[in-house]
Amino acid sequence: MEDQQVGPLRFHIDFSQPLYEQILDQVRSAIAKGEIGLGDKMPSVRELAQELRVNPNTVMRAYQELERDGLTEKRRGQGTFVTSSPEHVRSFRTALAAKYIDSFMDQMERLGLTWNDIQSYIEQKYDAEEGGTTR
């Protein structure tokens, strides 16, 4: 499926993967990257479900998890909004980065790589992409 814009959010939904997790991960990522601003209104559950052609319960479940994460907040009669707390977003972003690093390091260790190997590969990759040196 192609990318789909819904309000301030851009989604790429793969119907061969769990939809709830995709919506949750993509919204979390957008908030952590600042693609959705602090205090911005989220699309309604119904609107997002219609646009993505998914069951509203799927979207509701993702929204509930975002609220538990502290990344969104419901305002009675107004809808769901991205948190207005930069601390919540910063804390979540730090935790997400740690999770990704842990996963990466586990995979590298399974390949039998040492820290020096990993560091060397990262520097080579950076140099190749940036066209310069890492120092």
Side-chain angles (χ1 to χ4, degrees):
M1 180 178 190
E2 74 270 354
D3 286 354
Q4 188 140 6
Q5 187 80 31
V6 183
L9 298 167
R10 183 168 221 52
F11 290 93
H12 180 81
I13 301 296
D14 176 359
F15 288 101
S16 68
Q17 303 293 321
L19 299 174
Y20 146 78
E21 290 177 7
Q22 290 180 68
I23 293 167
L24 181 59
D25 289 346
Q26 290 178 41
V27 173
R28 281 175 171 166
S29 179
I31 293 171
K33 290 191 282 188
E35 294 174 351
I36 310 171
L38 296 175
D40 282 358
K41 187 172 185 347
M42 298 286 293
S44 71
V45 168
R46 182 174 292 140
E47 176 188 2
L48 187 55
Q50 285 176 334
E51 290 292 327
L52 297 178
R53 296 182 199 98
V54 300
N55 188 307
N57 291 330
T58 302
V59 176
M60 178 64 77
R61 185 174 171 203
Y63 273 29
Q64 289 170 340
E65 189 70 27
L66 290 165
E67 192 171 3
R68 276 193 290 273
D69 289 343
L71 294 177
T72 62
E73 50 198 42
K74 285 185 185 175
R75 296 184 191 161
R76 185 179 214 92
Q78 296 180 346
T80 300
F81 292 78
V82 174
T83 182
S84 55
S85 169
E87 294 82 22
H88 277 110
V89 174
R90 195 171 18 259
S91 173
F92 182 80
R93 186 177 178 169
T94 299
L96 194 58
K99 177 182 160 185
Y100 290 158
I101 289 169
D102 288 345
S103 175
F104 170 77
M105 292 301 291
D106 287 346
Q107 291 173 5
M108 295 301 103
E109 287 173 6
R110 279 189 223 121
L111 288 174
L113 299 175
T114 66
W115 170 246
N116 287 335
D117 295 332
I118 296 166
Q119 190 174 14
S120 176
Y121 286 133
I122 291 172
E123 288 174 356
Q124 288 171 21
K125 178 78 171 159
Y126 178 84
D127 289 345
E129 289 185 7
E130 297 296 319
T133 64
T134 57
R135 305 206 199 295

